[in-house]
């Protein structure tokens, strides 16, 4: 089906089903219960982030996973995409189609220019060049291009670029909503379904991003299985040998860089379409670092890894930042008082505002013990179960998908 | 002329910090071949050593003064730092006043311990793995260290003043024949520059004139042969890592009065120091120092109003711009050696 082989088709169908049914899967607990407040992730804002960062990391994986070029400046394209989309909202109309197209084109142009220069070097130099370009974009967006009194105010600096009522919007039709929409369907609108005490939310923006993510995922599968993808893998394993055989690898790596830049631009455009406000902090190099973290957590060079990594990162960020001391006391109330206070005192540093610490530690653990990311962890578990000849492990390859 | 001199002086203090961090990075890279993304965190830990010592010295005993009352009618409390009760009020007060320079002695053992633990506990296991893995694991470590500091000291910058004697500025221009008020320069920045010059000279002298340094230099050139000669080169490289951590830490200690320490100062400096190392040439110690000062001074010149009027925003991007040009035209950097990190 769809020119994919059997296992890829299966993988694609599983991912598609999960994306389409996510409002059910992510809301396993009834509305209003304490577990629901903590673990339910089926609300639009978070689900949108799952799929949008999924797109971003799928794109990053095409570059890093296939060619081995570690870009530390990918957030620049995310930011550029966000700004382009908001400019389209300001100039044309609140329809998301031109915004997404422009954000991909602009990010593509930028990645062509940056990639052309950066790819002349490899290894650590490439990482530092991309980092330098991203920091340049960030600094410019914050200072000169973001100064409201200067002539080149493209980004509106610290306030962030947003749509104002006196913007021209040359193609705005009168009946359309004044938030980003797809031919009249507002991205922020949701329909709700109540079954018993469960409530499921189906958000327009989520489904549009989700379908785009499926398209992005499909394209990435095709790239992985194509001769082009094979060429990129050859670059990763030994670029020098490729050069000795008389083959110029530059067009291939550059193409991979531009594709992944356009993915990032699309993700940026989608972020702006969900909430038409773009700020420079999206381009900061720690944001680039977070993209790398997501890719590594999931598993670099695998198909499903980026989606797993993005979902895992966003989900745990969300849960960990919600847990506070009160909840910890509630959970550990079965322990004797002194011990309870002691454990809560320690855990206090790892939850709530300290979630960065937990994710940082987890990231280090994954790099040290599990270089293939969570996907490799799943495969190892599966092998372990197979050796014991139980059938339980057969689906553990897919369990980390959320 | 006085403008040019002023900008050179302005660039010196930042340039010193860049040079010191880049020197440590290069030491680690040259000896162990590891790209250490956690080096900025070491700089930050150094700055927080100064904060910690300041807090320790300010631990006080609280006594009540029955003769005075505060506005609620309660007896007023007097805080007496324990140092003052130990050494007498005058000596104690000056010890507290000099807490930042004193923190140098406090920081050296701490930074050396941190360095050794880092190398033996984590980085040792990454020698055989690709550079990308080294970058990533040290990047993760940097995040963790930064968050630990944030959990202990909070997210706000902590003012750490310089000793009374070095606060304020002096008229540098009058010493070298300019008219008064042409070149005003803060004392502490001068101290910082002198301090970093001493540290840099000490590191070079150590490598150049001691037997230990000679072995380390030999190990940098050809690790295997030195190992075959029966010298435990790993142990010496671990010590070099500790020294590099100390250099970064001391740079941080003395930088605390210039810029109040906060938990992300390390990350801010890290990116720039990497750029400095690349511009200077991977693995070249003189290159790192030269590039550090050069980029610091260039940055100062780019932030002059006359320059900004011609190229708006140039002060924000000059360092990156220079780095990009250097990497593309001179791939080995200013003073890079042949065969280091060339893929």
């Amino acid at each position: 089906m769809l020119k994919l082989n059997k296992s890829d088709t299966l993988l694609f169908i599983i991912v598609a089903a999960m994306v389409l049914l996510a409002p059910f899967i992510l809301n396993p607990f009834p509305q209003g219960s304490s577990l629901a407040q903590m673990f339910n992730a089926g609300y639009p804002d978070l689900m949108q982030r799952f799929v949008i960062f999924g797109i971003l990391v799928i794109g990053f994986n095409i570059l890093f996973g296939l060619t081995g070029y570690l870009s530390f400046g990918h957030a620049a394209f995310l930011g550029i995409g966000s700004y382009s989309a908001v400019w389209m909202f300001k100039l044309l109309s609140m329809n998301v189609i031109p915004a997404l197209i422009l954000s991909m084109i602009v990010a593509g142009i930028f990645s062509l220019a940056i990639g052309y220069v950066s790819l002349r070097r490899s290894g650590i130099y490439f990482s530092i060049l991309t980092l330098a370009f991203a920091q340049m974009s960030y600094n410019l967006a914050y200072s000169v291009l973001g100064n409201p009194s200067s002539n080149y105010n493209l980004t509106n600096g610290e306030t962030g670029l947003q749509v104002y009522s006196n913007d021209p919007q040359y193609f705005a039709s009168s009946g359309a909503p004044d938030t980003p929409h797809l031919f009249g369907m507002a991205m922020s609108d949701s329909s709700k379904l109540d079954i018993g005490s469960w409530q499921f939310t189906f958000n327009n923006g989520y489904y549009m991003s989700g379908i785009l993510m499926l398209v992005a995922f499909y394209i990435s599968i095709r790239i992985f299985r194509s001769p082009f993808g094979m060429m990129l893998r050859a670059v990763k394993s030994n670029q020098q040998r490729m050069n000795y055989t008389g083959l110029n690898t530059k067009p291939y790596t550059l193409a991979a860089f531009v594709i992944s830049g356009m993915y990032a631009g699309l993700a940026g455009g989608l972020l702006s379409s969900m909430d038409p406000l773009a700020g420079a902090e999206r381009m900061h190099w720690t944001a680039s670092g977070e993209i790398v973290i997501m890719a590594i957590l999931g598993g670099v060079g695998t198909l499903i890894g980026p989606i797993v990594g993005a979902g895992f990162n966003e989900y745990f960020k969300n849960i960990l930042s919600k847990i506070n001391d009160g909840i910890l006391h509630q959970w550990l109330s079965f322990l004797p008082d002194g011990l309870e206070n002691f454990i809560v005192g320690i855990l206090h540093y790892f939850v709530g505002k300290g979630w960065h610490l937990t994710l940082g530690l987890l990231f280090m653990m994954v790099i040290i013990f599990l270089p293939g990311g969570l996907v490799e962890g799943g495969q190892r578990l599966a092998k372990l179960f197979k050796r014991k000849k139980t059938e339980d492990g057969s689906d553990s390859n897919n369990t980390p998908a959320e | 002329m006085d403008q040019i001199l002023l900008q050179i002086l302005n660039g010196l203090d930042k340039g010193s910090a860049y040079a010191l961090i880049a020197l440590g990075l290069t030491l680690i890279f040259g000896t162990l071949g590891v790209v250490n993304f956690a080096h900025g965190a070491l700089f930050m830990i150094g700055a927080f050593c100064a904060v910690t010592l300041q807090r320790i010295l300010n631990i006080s005993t609280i006594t009540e003064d029955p003769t005075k009352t505060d506005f609620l009618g309660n007896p007023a409390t007097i805080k007496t730092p324990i140092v003052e009760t130990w050494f007498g009020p005058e000596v104690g007060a000056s010890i507290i006043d000099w807490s930042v320079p004193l923190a140098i002695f406090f920081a050296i053992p701490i930074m050396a311990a941190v360095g050794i633990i880092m190398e033996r506990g984590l980085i040792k296991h990454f020698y055989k793995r690709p550079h990308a893995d080294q970058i990533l694991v040290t990047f993760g470590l940097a995040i963790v260290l930064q968050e630990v500091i944030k959990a202990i000291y909070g997210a706000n910058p902590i003012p750490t003043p310089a000793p009374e004697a070095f606060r304020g500025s002096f008229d540098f221009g009058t010493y070298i024949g300019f008219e008064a008020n042409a070149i005003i320069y803060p004392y502490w920045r001068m101290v910082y520059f002198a301090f970093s010059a001493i540290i840099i000279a000490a590191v070079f002298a150590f490598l150049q004139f001691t037997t230990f340094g000679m072995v380390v230099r030999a190990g940098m050139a050809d690790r295997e042969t030195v190992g075959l000669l029966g010298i435990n080169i790993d142990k010496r490289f671990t010590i070099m890592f500790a020294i590099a951590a100390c250099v970064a830490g001391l740079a941080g200690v003395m930088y605390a009065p210039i810029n109040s320490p906060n938990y992300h100062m390390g990350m801010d400096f890290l990116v720039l120091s990497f750029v400095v190392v690349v511009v200077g040439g991977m693995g070249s110690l003189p290159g790192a120092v030269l590039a550090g000062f050069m980029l610091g001074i260039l940055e100062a010149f780019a932030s002059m109003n006359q320059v900004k009027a011609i190229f708006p925003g140039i002060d924000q991007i000059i360092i990156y711009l220079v780095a990009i040009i250097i990497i593309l035209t001179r791939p080995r950097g200013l003073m890079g050696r042949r065969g280091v990190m060339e893929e």
Side-chain angles (χ1 to χ4, degrees):
Chain A
M1 196 183 84
L2 293 168
K3 293 189 180 172
L4 299 176
N5 67 29
K6 211 173 154 194
S7 63
D8 289 345
T9 314
L10 186 68
L11 184 67
F12 184 71
I13 289 172
I14 291 173
V15 171
M18 290 196 116
V19 168
L20 295 178
L21 298 177
F24 296 105
I25 299 169
L26 293 175
N27 258 4
F29 302 108
Q31 191 69 16
S33 67
S34 65
L35 282 174
Q37 275 192 346
M38 187 60 59
F39 293 110
N40 272 4
Y43 51 93
D45 182 45
L46 186 61
M47 291 200 300
Q48 287 164 3
R49 283 218 305 273
F50 282 158
V51 286
I52 292 174
F53 283 102
I55 295 176
L56 178 63
V57 185
I58 290 173
F60 181 76
N61 190 39
I62 291 176
L63 180 70
F64 182 42
L66 286 179
T67 66
Y69 278 84
L70 173 59
S71 158
F72 243 87
H74 239 60
F77 306 125
L78 184 80
I80 289 166
S82 310
Y83 283 128
S84 324
V86 178
W87 270 109
M88 278 284 123
F89 295 145
K90 284 167 90 77
L91 292 177
L92 300 182
S93 70
M94 293 303 266
N95 197 328
V96 295
I97 297 289
L100 292 181
I101 292 173
L102 187 82
S103 60
M104 283 178 78
I105 292 174
V106 175
I109 292 169
F110 268 86
S111 55
L112 188 68
I114 293 178
Y116 182 78
V117 177
S118 309
L119 284 166
R120 293 176 60 171
R121 314 283 300 138
S122 63
I124 169 111
Y125 291 103
F126 173 80
S127 303
I128 290 172
L129 272 174
T130 47
L131 185 59
F133 276 115
Q135 278 300 90
M136 259 169 73
S137 323
Y138 168 77
N139 284 348
L140 284 179
Y142 240 123
S143 61
V144 182
L145 298 178
N147 187 354
S149 57
S150 82
N151 295 325
Y152 333 89
N153 184 12
L154 279 174
T155 65
N156 215 11
E158 276 184 52
T159 326
L161 192 65
Q162 48 190 305
V163 184
Y164 296 109
S165 53
N166 60 355
D167 284 327
Q169 297 199 323
Y170 294 111
F171 293 98
S173 49
S174 52
D178 59 349
T179 55
H181 61 84
L182 179 69
F183 303 116
M185 272 196 327
M187 288 293 114
S188 49
D189 275 1
S190 314
S191 48
K192 291 192 166 68
L193 172 69
D194 289 293
I195 302 176
S197 54
W198 277 267
Q199 187 185 52
F200 303 107
T201 315
F202 304 96
N203 174 260
N204 290 344
Y206 167 72
Y207 274 103
M208 198 192 70
S209 317
I211 288 165
L212 283 174
M213 191 199 81
L214 288 178
V215 174
F217 185 53
Y218 174 71
I219 294 174
S220 110
I221 299 180
R222 290 299 299 269
I223 289 178
F224 267 65
R225 301 288 179 244
S226 66
F228 170 66
M230 195 57 100
M231 193 65 85
L232 296 179
R233 283 210 190 97
V235 170
K236 183 180 187 177
S237 63
N238 196 336
Q239 184 161 16
Q240 234 165 13
R241 194 174 294 166
M242 296 293 288
N243 289 333
Y244 286 155
T245 55
L247 193 123
N248 184 7
T249 53
K250 182 88 185 282
Y252 293 96
T253 44
L254 186 59
F257 194 86
V258 173
I259 291 171
S260 80
M262 286 172 80
Y263 269 66
L266 173 66
L270 279 172
L271 277 181
S272 293
S273 308
M274 300 306 132
D275 177 19
L277 170 71
E281 70 284 345
R282 273 182 203 161
M283 303 164 90
H284 194 249
W285 78 277
T286 45
S288 303
E290 206 177 336
I291 301 174
V292 180
I293 291 181
M294 288 192 235
I296 302 279
L297 277 182
V300 176
T302 58
L303 282 170
I304 189 76
I307 302 174
V308 176
F312 184 87
N313 187 48
E314 291 299 319
Y315 185 63
F316 276 86
K317 199 158 101 179
N318 180 50
I319 287 191
L320 286 172
S321 53
K322 267 198 249 172
I323 299 173
N324 56 28
D325 284 3
I327 294 172
L328 285 178
H329 276 294
Q330 199 182 324
W331 282 353
L332 298 171
S333 52
F334 61 89
L335 292 172
D337 264 0
L339 189 64
E340 180 191 326
N341 288 338
F342 178 71
I343 295 179
V344 170
I346 290 175
L347 288 180
H348 168 81
Y349 292 106
F350 294 91
V351 297
K353 282 179 185 160
W355 61 267
H356 268 115
L357 180 59
T358 320
L359 275 184
L361 283 173
L362 195 73
F363 175 62
M364 280 179 71
M365 293 296 147
V366 166
I367 293 180
I368 296 171
F369 300 111
L370 215 61
L374 295 174
V375 169
E376 192 192 314
Q379 281 163 354
R380 279 195 200 173
L381 276 180
K383 249 187 214 164
L384 211 67
F385 280 111
K386 274 200 188 118
R387 214 177 292 154
K388 286 179 185 168
K389 291 191 177 156
T390 48
E391 294 305 307
D392 301 346
S394 58
D395 68 345
S396 64
N397 232 345
N398 306 317
T399 35
E402 280 307 328
Chain B
M1 184 61 202
D2 51 341
Q3 275 291 313
I4 293 174
L5 203 65
L6 183 64
Q7 294 312 325
I8 291 178
L9 284 173
N10 275 340
L12 279 184
D13 63 309
K14 258 204 165 162
S16 316
Y18 294 154
L20 282 177
I21 302 175
L23 182 70
L25 271 174
T26 311
L27 272 181
I28 293 174
F29 183 78
T31 51
L32 301 167
V34 169
V35 183
N36 182 16
F37 254 59
H39 212 68
L42 294 173
F43 176 75
M44 173 200 64
I45 292 177
F48 275 92
C49 281
V51 173
T52 312
L53 186 73
Q54 195 195 28
R55 292 206 173 161
I56 291 175
L57 291 179
N58 275 313
I59 292 174
S60 316
T61 48
I62 297 172
T63 46
E64 287 188 355
D65 184 355
T67 57
K68 290 177 191 159
T69 54
D70 62 7
F71 66 97
L72 287 174
N74 301 319
T77 53
I78 311 170
K79 281 187 180 176
T80 329
I82 293 177
V83 207
E84 288 189 17
T85 45
W86 284 355
F87 297 102
E90 274 175 28
V91 182
S94 60
I95 286 179
I96 292 175
D97 187 31
W98 283 76
S99 68
V100 172
L102 284 175
I104 292 173
F105 304 104
F106 178 68
I108 287 174
I110 292 183
M111 295 313 300
V114 169
I116 289 174
I117 293 170
M118 234 171 102
E119 202 272 337
R120 286 288 97 183
L122 180 71
I123 292 176
K124 187 178 82 172
H125 307 286
F126 277 79
Y127 293 152
K128 297 271 158 62
R129 308 226 338 221
H131 279 300
D133 279 7
Q134 297 170 354
I135 294 178
L136 292 170
V137 81
T138 45
F139 175 60
L141 181 68
I143 295 176
V144 170
L145 289 176
Q146 172 177 327
E147 291 303 315
V148 168
I149 291 288
K150 187 175 151 195
I152 300 173
Y153 293 93
N156 294 326
I158 302 166
T160 317
E164 190 75 51
F166 292 115
R167 272 173 235 168
S169 318
F170 68 113
D171 201 341
F172 186 74
T174 51
Y175 292 100
I176 45 171
F178 287 101
E179 59 211 77
N181 292 329
I183 303 174
I184 307 277
Y185 199 61
Y187 280 115
W188 186 258
R189 298 192 176 206
M190 214 47 162
V191 172
Y192 192 78
F193 171 63
F195 174 77
S196 59
I198 292 170
I199 295 271
I200 291 168
V203 170
F204 275 94
F206 177 71
L207 285 175
Q208 207 66 38
F209 301 124
T210 61
T211 320
F212 188 98
M214 191 184 72
V215 173
V216 168
R217 274 185 299 133
M220 282 166 89
D222 189 343
R223 180 179 188 150
E224 250 175 61
T225 311
V226 176
L228 288 173
L229 289 172
I231 294 169
N232 186 354
I233 192 74
D234 286 356
K235 198 172 152 194
R236 290 167 199 247
F237 280 178
T238 307
I239 294 173
M240 283 319 287
F241 194 100
I243 290 175
C246 284
V247 170
L250 294 184
V253 168
M254 297 295 271
Y255 206 73
I258 297 179
N259 204 342
S260 302
N262 55 19
Y263 70 98
H264 53 75
M265 71 189 290
M267 288 287 194
D268 299 344
F269 266 89
L270 175 78
V271 181
L272 288 170
S273 339
F274 258 106
V275 172
V276 168
V277 171
V278 171
V279 168
M282 275 284 188
S284 158
L285 295 173
V289 174
L290 181 76
F293 283 112
M294 193 189 86
L295 290 180
I297 291 167
L298 264 182
E299 199 182 16
F301 272 109
S303 44
M304 285 166 74
N305 282 331
Q306 292 93 320
V307 180
K308 274 202 279 191
I310 307 169
F311 307 104
I314 189 77
D315 55 322
Q316 302 286 329
I317 59 169
I318 178 82
I319 289 188
Y320 304 108
L321 219 52
V322 170
I324 290 164
I325 293 168
I326 294 260
I327 294 180
L328 294 177
T329 53
R330 281 185 65 94
R332 276 181 213 138
L334 291 178
M335 304 176 85
R337 284 176 299 139
R338 208 185 165 78
V340 177
M341 278 301 287
E342 289 181 25
E343 279 128 311

